[in-house]
């Protein structure tokens, strides 16, 4: 019997982020409390740029964007938003979408699987993802439950379960 396995990844559906951004832009253009404050949200290369004429308003734009991401099933751990910065008369927040598991984070997850997971489960780092394999599918289910119970500062998804 071949080993069963699954991959642990940290990926974000770009189209869902784009949809959330478009919904936020539409809501900002229609809401009364955003009238006349120059509030906007848009892509700026690979970053997301939020602008408004006051620090509170730009934070409100970020809040609306976060709520739209949650509704679209995207973890807020994938969103890395900076602090509001004054640029001329405008306040700006730059945010990036984090994808992939760093080597350090992958090693932390692998160590948790080794220390707390069932015996006979192997975890190996493959680029920006982690492959977990075992002879028993029940052990793999236990590993998924273990990792879902942990609080990491990055988003995890479990894919390619075979």
């Amino acid at each position: 019997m071949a080993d069963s396995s699954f991959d642990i990844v940290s990926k974000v559906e770009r189209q869902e982020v784009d949809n959330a951004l478009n919904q936020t832009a539409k809501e900002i253009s229609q809401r009364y409390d955003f009238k006349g404050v120059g509030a906007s949200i848009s892509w700026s290369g690979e970053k997301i740029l939020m602008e408004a004429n006051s620090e509170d308003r730009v934070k409100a734009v970020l809040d609306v964007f976060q709520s739209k991401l949650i509704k679209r099933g995207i973890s807020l751990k994938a969103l890395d938003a900076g602090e509001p910065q004054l640029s001329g008369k405008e306040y700006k927040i730059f945010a990036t979408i984090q994808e992939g598991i760093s080597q350090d984070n992958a090693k932390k997850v692998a160590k948790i699987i080794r220390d707390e997971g069932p015996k006979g489960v192997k975890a190996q780092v493959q680029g920006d993802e982690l492959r977990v394999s075992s002879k028993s599918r029940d052990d793999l289910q236990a590993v998924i439950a273990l990792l879902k119970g942990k609080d990491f500062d990055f988003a995890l998804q479990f894919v390619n379960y075979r």
Side-chain angles (χ1 to χ4, degrees):
M1 174 100 190
D3 282 4
S4 298
S5 68
F6 67 89
D7 295 334
I8 302 172
V9 297
S10 183
K11 291 198 168 114
V12 174
E13 188 70 40
R14 174 80 178 209
Q15 185 61 49
E16 291 297 329
V17 175
D18 209 29
N19 290 343
L21 187 133
N22 291 334
Q23 286 178 338
T24 304
K26 186 174 181 181
E27 183 168 324
I28 289 169
S29 70
Q30 294 174 344
R31 265 180 46 179
Y32 175 76
D33 57 337
F34 285 114
K35 294 279 188 241
V37 296
S40 68
I41 183 169
S42 61
W43 285 103
S44 174
E46 283 297 306
K47 294 184 175 183
I48 297 165
L49 171 64
M50 291 163 262
E51 298 177 297
N53 66 2
S54 75
E55 190 173 347
D56 292 339
R57 287 291 111 211
V58 78
K59 285 182 178 177
V61 171
L62 176 61
D63 191 45
V64 171
F65 183 55
Q66 288 174 335
S67 71
K68 299 298 181 191
L69 287 175
I70 290 169
K71 284 183 182 172
R72 295 215 151 264
I74 296 172
S75 172
L76 290 183
K77 292 177 182 176
L79 180 69
D80 182 22
E83 289 298 311
Q85 301 167 340
L86 184 61
S87 171
K89 293 182 178 178
E90 297 258 307
Y91 280 88
K92 296 181 178 184
I93 294 179
F94 284 101
T96 56
I97 302 295
Q98 302 289 333
E99 289 198 299
I101 301 174
S102 70
Q103 289 291 325
D104 292 342
N105 288 337
K107 287 177 184 172
K108 285 181 200 169
V109 173
K111 182 170 174 20
I112 288 172
I113 293 170
R114 258 195 326 274
D115 296 347
E116 300 176 32
K119 297 287 178 240
V121 175
K122 296 186 287 290
Q124 58 196 104
V125 178
Q126 296 181 334
D128 61 352
E129 58 186 46
L130 196 66
R131 164 89 26 103
V132 180
S133 57
S134 171
K135 296 232 181 279
S136 164
R137 286 180 168 240
D138 292 340
D139 288 350
L140 294 180
Q141 293 284 353
V143 168
I144 290 174
L146 169 74
L147 294 177
K148 283 185 176 179
K150 298 286 182 190
D151 186 32
F152 295 104
D153 56 351
F154 52 97
L156 291 180
Q157 291 89 32
F158 307 101
V159 297
N160 296 340
Y161 186 82
R162 313 189 167 104

